[in-house]
Amino acid sequence: MAAELKGFGYDVTLRLDQSQKEMQATLRNFREKVNEGDEVLFYFSGHAVEIDGKNFLTPVDTIGINQNQLADDSIDLKTAVLDPLTSKKVKLTLALIDACRDNPFKGSGRALGGRGLAPTTAATGQMVMFSAGTGQQALDKLGQNDKDKNGLFTRILLKEMNKPGIPVDRVLRNVRNEVVALAKSVGHEQTPALYDQAVGEFFFKN
């Protein structure tokens, strides 16, 4: 994903397997680089959880043993990522969250509650897409013989975003349609959720 975005001309900040403090520092430094009128893309692939209607991205050092501690150990998508970018008056915030997978604490006696992330409300100028809808699990593989290193959502996204001249909103709807069809082909229900309040047309690749 980072390589593709660099190829499109994005100034890319890539961080892998970060702790909560590292993620907070990365987001803080990233915000300082953003200027009014910028087009900003935030991509996250990993684990996330919904708690009391809020969506939290879980760093690698998350050790929450109950929901309150889990929330304290994690990154609130809205207040830590989306709202600060709105405050910076960017032209577009595009958030792509490939994170609706099974409980990462499986086998440890801890549970994150139900699958999936909570519906969100995009602010004006924001477009937010989750890899699966509320209560759904995002597929990593289509079967035992599937060797693709990316999950279903991201591999389709990488393909569709490389098609030139297609607006971002259309790209994301194409991704949703193809993910739904491929998931259904293996007896799974996965419908990426799109929340769109973007104003104007934007392109990955002209």
Side-chain angles (χ1 to χ4, degrees):
M1 178 63 72
E4 293 293 339
L5 292 173
K6 285 181 181 178
F8 296 157
Y10 280 88
D11 178 7
V12 176
T13 298
L14 172 64
R15 297 292 184 270
L16 303 173
D17 300 327
Q18 290 201 301
S19 67
Q20 184 190 41
K21 285 188 176 180
E22 289 170 336
M23 286 184 69
Q24 290 170 335
T26 294
L27 289 169
R28 184 169 56 250
N29 293 335
F30 180 72
R31 288 193 297 267
E32 291 175 356
K33 293 170 58 178
V34 172
N35 297 307
E36 181 176 345
D38 282 350
E39 297 175 19
V40 179
L41 189 154
F42 176 80
Y43 172 82
F44 177 84
S45 179
H47 289 291
V49 61
E50 176 267 322
I51 299 174
D52 294 332
K54 297 179 180 180
N55 296 313
F56 293 89
L57 312 180
T58 57
V60 296
D61 61 343
T62 299
I63 57 173
I65 58 175
N66 57 50
Q67 288 195 338
N68 289 334
Q69 186 178 347
L70 182 58
D72 288 342
D73 288 346
S74 301
I75 303 294
D76 187 320
L77 175 62
K78 185 175 188 299
T79 61
V81 180
L82 299 177
D83 288 352
L85 292 173
T86 297
S87 298
K88 298 282 285 193
K89 298 181 180 179
V90 302
K91 184 186 298 183
L92 171 72
T93 297
L94 174 60
L96 304 172
I97 311 299
D98 188 3
C100 302
R101 293 180 171 84
D102 276 340
N103 180 1
F105 299 141
K106 192 181 295 181
S108 66
R110 290 179 283 161
L112 299 186
R115 287 176 172 172
L117 298 175
T120 190
T121 301
T124 300
Q126 290 182 352
M127 196 179 299
V128 181
M129 193 170 204
F130 299 149
S131 56
T134 303
Q136 295 179 342
Q137 177 192 0
L139 289 177
D140 282 330
K141 303 293 181 185
L142 289 171
Q144 292 183 347
N145 296 323
D146 185 350
K147 304 302 182 184
D148 197 302
K149 62 182 179 180
N150 292 308
L152 180 59
F153 172 78
T154 293
R155 73 180 71 170
I156 299 304
L157 174 62
L158 287 168
K159 183 185 73 171
E160 292 296 326
M161 65 194 286
N162 266 287
K163 296 178 179 178
I166 302 177
V168 168
D169 60 326
R170 183 69 259 171
V171 169
L172 297 184
R173 285 171 172 80
N174 290 344
V175 169
R176 180 169 59 191
N177 291 341
E178 192 161 349
V179 168
V180 168
L182 285 172
K184 184 179 290 187
S185 73
V186 295
H188 184 78
E189 184 178 353
Q190 179 180 342
T191 305
L194 177 61
Y195 308 93
D196 180 8
Q197 288 294 320
V199 179
E201 282 197 336
F202 303 92
F203 299 85
F204 286 114
K205 190 174 185 179
N206 284 317

